[in-house]
Amino acid sequence: MSDSAADGAYGTEGTRKEPGLPVGAGDGTRAVRAGLPEPVKHEPTLPGPVFAAHFHLPGDPTGPYTYGRDENPTWTLLERAIGELEAPGQESVETLVFASGMAAISSVVFSQLRAGDAVVLPSDGYQALPLVHDQLQSYGIEVRTAPTGQDAQLEVLDGARLLWIESPSNPGLDVCDIRRLVEAAHARGALVAVDNTLATPLGQRPLELGADFSVASGTKQLTGHGDILLGYVAGRDAEAMAAVRRWRKIVGAIPGPMEAWLAHRSIATLQLRVDRQNATALALAEALHGRPEVTGLRYPGLPDDPSHKVASQQMRRYGCVVSFTLPSRARADRFLEALRVVDDATSFGGVRSTAERRGRWGGDAVPEGFIRMSVGAEDPADLVADVLRALDETAH
Ligand SMILES: Cc1ncc(COP(=O)(O)O)c(C=O)c1O
């Protein structure tokens, strides 16, 4: 590749090219163009994955590309794409990609906290957070927990160094007022990180709500095909992000170039997928509303959901996950088995609908009959009919 092609394709470390979009471009336009380099004659629109453990490096070892654990041109384009969606027009925001959502979460938590610090974690968040909790405690960090709903975190903020928010929470779909919590945390000198996995950057932009970090598992709806693991951290504070980058280098929790490229390719359809999946999720929630065997129905887009008011103030889309409870574990298992176009599988956000009895893992404080359903891109009528049929067939 010629010098000019290399420059054109990837730019240089730490810089983000202007996407050159029309002012006010919509989410679909921004998604299909996110992170694309300036066009270079005879080069593909999205350059292919760069498989390299090391790069030619005569003389002084200066970047942008030296060693494959530190930087990779395929990551650069993906990081630019995610940054453009998480923080449109905010050139100072830096984005780093990771091997998984947990790698991204760990990079923030373990790079920002020291022995003697205090951190506030959600008590109802993703089920691997208790592992993080225990690890932090073993390092002499005080861990406080609070539920996501009703901004309960305010009670335990004094003296904390970091507030970790997961909104909407997984699997309970509670929502907190991010802007209000950020203001309270910043007034006390605490940093704020928001797990934006469930919303995706098209559903919520935590950095615009004042957060210091937007962190997510790209394994879910961001990439949306259930075939790769990925994570990212977007942050505006250069010093804090330098520590996150350093952590990535130390731990080496980096995505493979193929995964990074697949993720970038998938982001082109993010708006299509999100709009379809989220609209069907609302239709499904409405269809479940009022079913006698369904209790605890949650979807932040439902006007009477306890999360709806706050969600509608800070979210642009409400996600593709619906949760509800069936009368017993046996009924929930029968229901899952009766579904035909919904796979019994964990995770969420993919184009193929999945559902699971969340209690089978033992990590969430949910009833035995609690179902987390992730709505895919099937025809809405087919999906709703399948769910209602499965409910009817397993009534006795
Ligand atoms: C809200 C949330 N955050 C983080 C993660 C972890 O992501 P990963 O599985 O990519 O490590 C998950 C996984 O389900 C999640 O639901």
Side-chain angles (χ1 to χ4, degrees), residues 20-199:
L21 293 175
V23 176
D27 285 342
T29 311
R30 294 189 318 104
V32 297
R33 300 219 58 88
L36 294 183
E38 294 297 324
V40 177
K41 193 172 179 183
H42 303 143
E43 293 287 328
T45 309
L46 176 63
V50 176
F51 296 104
H54 56 87
F55 300 85
H56 284 297
L57 193 65
D60 289 338
T62 52
Y65 302 112
T66 58
Y67 186 60
R69 180 166 23 81
D70 298 337
E71 269 302 345
N72 176 290
T74 311
W75 304 350
T76 305
L77 296 183
L78 174 61
E79 288 168 346
R80 201 178 290 160
I82 295 170
E84 285 171 17
L85 297 176
E86 279 282 350
Q90 291 183 48
E91 294 299 311
S92 58
V93 167
E94 186 179 356
T95 305
L96 295 168
V97 287
F98 287 83
S100 67
M102 282 315 296
I105 290 173
S106 299
S107 77
V108 173
V109 166
F110 293 106
S111 71
Q112 303 301 314
L113 296 169
R114 306 276 175 278
D117 285 345
V119 59
V120 178
L121 298 181
S123 56
D124 51 357
Y126 175 53
Q127 63 172 2
L129 286 183
L131 301 175
V132 175
H133 179 139
D134 294 351
Q135 196 65 36
L136 288 167
Q137 276 186 331
S138 78
Y139 292 157
I141 294 159
E142 182 196 344
V143 183
R144 307 170 187 169
T145 58
T148 300
Q150 284 150 15
D151 304 343
Q153 301 91 332
L154 290 171
E155 304 295 316
V156 287
L157 263 184
D158 275 348
R161 163 93 185 120
L162 177 68
L163 166 63
W164 191 272
I165 290 172
E166 190 179 298
S167 181
S169 60
N170 167 26
L173 304 180
D174 269 323
V175 166
C176 53
D177 185 336
I178 295 175
R179 203 184 286 279
R180 178 177 180 218
L181 290 173
V182 164
E183 277 165 18
H186 284 174
R188 292 163 172 84
L191 293 165
V192 180
V194 177
D195 185 324
N196 206 27
T197 303
L198 211 137

Side-chain angles (χ1 to χ4, degrees), residues 256-396:
M258 191 69 202
E259 280 77 4
W261 184 84
L262 282 169
H264 199 162
R265 191 178 81 148
S266 303
I267 286 175
T269 57
L270 182 62
Q271 184 261 354
L272 287 173
R273 290 184 283 105
V274 160
D275 277 357
R276 166 63 161 248
Q277 291 175 243
N278 295 11
T280 310
L282 178 60
L284 178 67
E286 283 166 346
L288 291 172
H289 207 266
R291 288 281 310 200
E293 67 275 67
V294 168
T295 55
L297 174 66
R298 296 299 304 267
Y299 183 67
L302 275 177
D304 64 352
D305 187 275
S307 294
H308 184 69
K309 188 162 172 281
V310 182
S312 62
Q313 287 161 17
Q314 65 192 19
M315 297 182 76
R316 299 164 64 234
R317 295 172 172 88
Y318 299 110
C320 65
V321 179
V322 177
S323 57
F324 55 96
T325 302
L326 293 177
S328 66
R329 173 182 177 153
R331 175 76 194 273
D333 283 338
R334 288 205 311 276
F335 165 71
L336 291 170
E337 213 181 313
L339 291 166
R340 289 188 196 136
V341 298
V342 182
D343 293 335
D344 186 345
T346 194
S347 200
F348 58 85
V351 289
R352 293 172 204 93
S353 292
T354 57
E356 70 172 333
R357 198 178 62 75
R358 200 58 193 166
R360 67 180 172 172
W361 296 97
D364 300 316
V366 293
E368 285 288 2
F370 181 99
I371 303 279
R372 187 185 70 187
M373 182 164 293
S374 171
V375 172
E378 299 85 2
D379 287 294
D382 291 345
L383 184 74
V384 171
D386 194 43
V387 169
L388 297 183
R389 182 196 48 74
L391 283 176
D392 288 339
E393 280 180 17
T394 55
H396 302 292

Side-chain angles (χ1 to χ4, degrees), residues 209-241:
L209 298 168
D212 301 284
F213 304 98
S214 181
V215 184
S217 166
T219 312
K220 318 290 175 192
Q221 204 175 15
L222 183 82
T223 60
H225 292 71
D227 50 13
I228 52 176
L229 282 109
L230 190 91
Y232 69 84
V233 178
R236 71 168 110 250
D237 182 277
E239 204 179 315
M241 287 306 288

